[in-house]
Amino acid sequence: MSGILNMLIRKIFCLLFIIVLQSCYQKEINKGKENPFSISLGSFKTYEKAFQFKSRLDTVVRANLRLEYVSKKNYKLLYGKFHNSLSAGEKAYELYCDTLINDYDITRNGIKVLDEFINVPFIGNFLGKPSLYTYNIKNKNTELLWSQKDGKVISLNLSEAADHAFFSTAASAGQFGGLPFIKNVNLFLLHRIEDNIDQIDELGDGYQFYTYWNAPDSFYVNISFSDSNNPRIIYQRIQSYDLQGKRKSSSERSFDIIKQGFPVAPSRKPQLTSPNLNCQLRIVHNNDQSIFYLKNFLDKSEILISSINEKIKDIRWSSDGNYFFIVSEFKVRISKRIYESRNHIFIIDAANKKVKKILEGNRFENLLVRGKLVFFDELFNGTKRIVIYDYVNRKHFDYIELPGGCGLNTLNGN
């Protein structure tokens, strides 16, 4: 009887141990999902050396610093807990610019990973072929990321969290008989943290091809091609993918180009509400004039910000919601009958409700906001380049210029 009782007790103890172990394991998984990224300020062989280094840091940094034992003779000083590499990198770069820290890495579960804030991907020519590059904000250097012998990179679309990037390639593209054409289109997915590239689809040939994000987790591609029996009929295939590159949906629609014209790419919808949901932009159109009102939900106010007689091309916000950017297009008379398109970027301080700066140039497009910096494409002396502007301090930070041009999303329009 006692033997049976002892065996029963052992089974109950083992069951309880497994339940506790699974509970701890699940907590660690959830903890990793919630806060997997940190800012590493260095590794140290002893606790004393780590403590001495910590004591020399500013109190602002020490308040969010923790010391972790990784292994024998390996202690790490880690700052903060972040949901992704982008937000960790933004905070790290802010501390670095304020000279509160001298150097840092972004880590995930103690392992160094790509800093997705300071590393910005773009398209540039390599040996005459559009390829993938990356620009480092911290050291202002560019580096070749990916190139293919038999394919040109024609588009690049970075996810909202900057952890994935879809890019497409084509064997050739141009115009024939007044119509565009594109040959042998392929779609790839760059997993930035894993530093891994997967080819996820072969899209074939077509007349027109464009890509866009419809939501933070939904990426779309549109490719147009003709009916083999009736050349006036154009089919447009629309396919969507999730963040892992798996196809979510596919549909087709047809156009009679004689009656309906050639299908055009959709315009980007301006972002009117700030990311922090504190402000909203209201636009009133009066003939050719656009009047901008900024509504503040916190103090329940609405104020006139600006009015322009120009076409609105895009509106973007900084991630903290304190600034927004209006891209507009206007015409400049070159001669009696010739006009040239020009662009403005209005940089507006939403917190203080005023226009801080107006930039003017040619073919401004593809805005990308990184902390206190805004990236955008510009056509300069006939070649496409990327401008990086410090909108808080109102000064140019850097230019990305490569032989043959470069752009954030595409090299079209050179």
Side-chain angles (χ1 to χ4, degrees), residues 45-56:
K45 291 184 177 181
T46 65
Y47 174 87
E48 290 75 17
K49 288 184 178 180
F51 186 80
Q52 289 173 6
F53 181 86
K54 178 182 177 180
S55 64
R56 295 194 297 269

Side-chain angles (χ1 to χ4, degrees), residues 339-380:
Y339 289 82
E340 182 181 80
S341 293
R342 301 281 290 174
N343 297 99
H344 280 137
I345 295 180
F346 295 82
I347 300 173
I348 300 170
D349 184 341
N352 293 303
K353 305 173 184 176
K354 61 181 181 180
V355 178
K356 297 285 286 187
K357 185 74 175 179
I358 302 174
L359 304 175
E360 182 177 333
N362 189 13
R363 205 171 292 171
F364 288 163
E365 56 188 3
N366 302 324
L367 267 67
L368 174 70
V369 185
R370 275 285 183 273
K372 298 178 181 179
L373 303 175
V374 58
F375 291 64
F376 56 91
D377 295 349
E378 175 189 34
L379 191 64
F380 183 74

Side-chain angles (χ1 to χ4, degrees), residues 153-168:
V153 178
I154 55 173
S155 69
L156 170 66
N157 299 84
L158 189 63
S159 66
E160 191 174 280
D163 53 350
H164 296 86
F166 286 89
F167 68 95
S168 52

Side-chain angles (χ1 to χ4, degrees), residues 172-372:
S172 61
Q175 283 203 349
F176 181 77
L179 287 176
F181 73 87
I182 190 164
K183 298 286 186 182
N184 192 22
V185 181
N186 291 297
L187 186 64
F188 295 82
L189 177 60
L190 168 62
H191 306 271
R192 302 193 70 209
I193 285 292
E194 293 84 359
D195 192 24
N196 182 42
I197 293 176
D198 292 326
Q199 181 174 345
I200 60 174
D201 221 337
E202 296 180 1
L203 302 170
D205 302 340
Y207 285 131
Q208 182 191 62
F209 177 75
Y210 55 87
T211 59
Y212 58 95
W213 289 97
N214 195 43
D217 60 349
S218 295
F219 179 74
Y220 281 72
V221 300
N222 289 29
I223 186 165
S224 300
F225 53 94
S226 66
D227 187 316
S228 58
N229 297 317
N230 187 353
R232 65 184 279 178
I233 301 299
I234 296 291
Y235 291 99
Q236 188 179 68
R237 184 181 299 125
I238 306 165
Q239 296 178 176
S240 68
Y241 304 83
D242 65 16
L243 283 174
Q244 300 306 314
K246 294 180 180 178
R247 188 185 298 178
K248 297 171 64 176
S249 65
S250 181
S251 62
E252 282 188 10
R253 56 186 179 183
S254 63
F255 295 84
D256 186 324
I257 59 174
I258 303 299
K259 295 180 179 180
Q260 299 169 279
F262 203 84
V264 296
S267 301
R268 188 181 185 277
K269 295 179 181 178
Q271 185 181 354
L272 300 180
T273 304
S274 64
N276 56 15
L277 305 180
N278 290 342
C279 299
Q280 188 177 59
L281 194 62
R282 184 167 68 92
I283 308 173
V284 177
H285 299 284
N286 184 12
N287 295 324
D288 293 332
Q289 187 178 45
S290 296
I291 306 168
F292 298 92
Y293 293 92
L294 183 65
K295 185 173 184 178
N296 189 302
F297 296 115
L298 298 179
D299 59 19
K300 298 179 180 179
S301 66
E302 187 175 67
I303 186 173
L304 173 65
I305 289 293
S306 182
S307 63
I308 59 174
N309 293 311
E310 302 173 14
K311 182 181 178 181
I312 301 168
K313 300 288 288 183
D314 200 1
I315 298 173
R316 305 281 180 105
W317 287 81
S318 61
S319 60
D320 59 12
N322 290 332
Y323 284 80
F324 65 94
F325 311 86
I326 300 173
V327 184
S328 66
E329 184 179 69
F330 61 99
K331 300 288 186 181
V332 175
R333 185 191 291 270
I334 303 300
S335 64
K336 188 176 180 179
R337 296 183 180 180
I338 299 176
Y339 289 82
E340 182 181 80
S341 293
R342 301 281 290 174
N343 297 99
H344 280 137
I345 295 180
F346 295 82
I347 300 173
I348 300 170
D349 184 341
N352 293 303
K353 305 173 184 176
K354 61 181 181 180
V355 178
K356 297 285 286 187
K357 185 74 175 179
I358 302 174
L359 304 175
E360 182 177 333
N362 189 13
R363 205 171 292 171
F364 288 163
E365 56 188 3
N366 302 324
L367 267 67
L368 174 70
V369 185
R370 275 285 183 273
K372 298 178 181 179

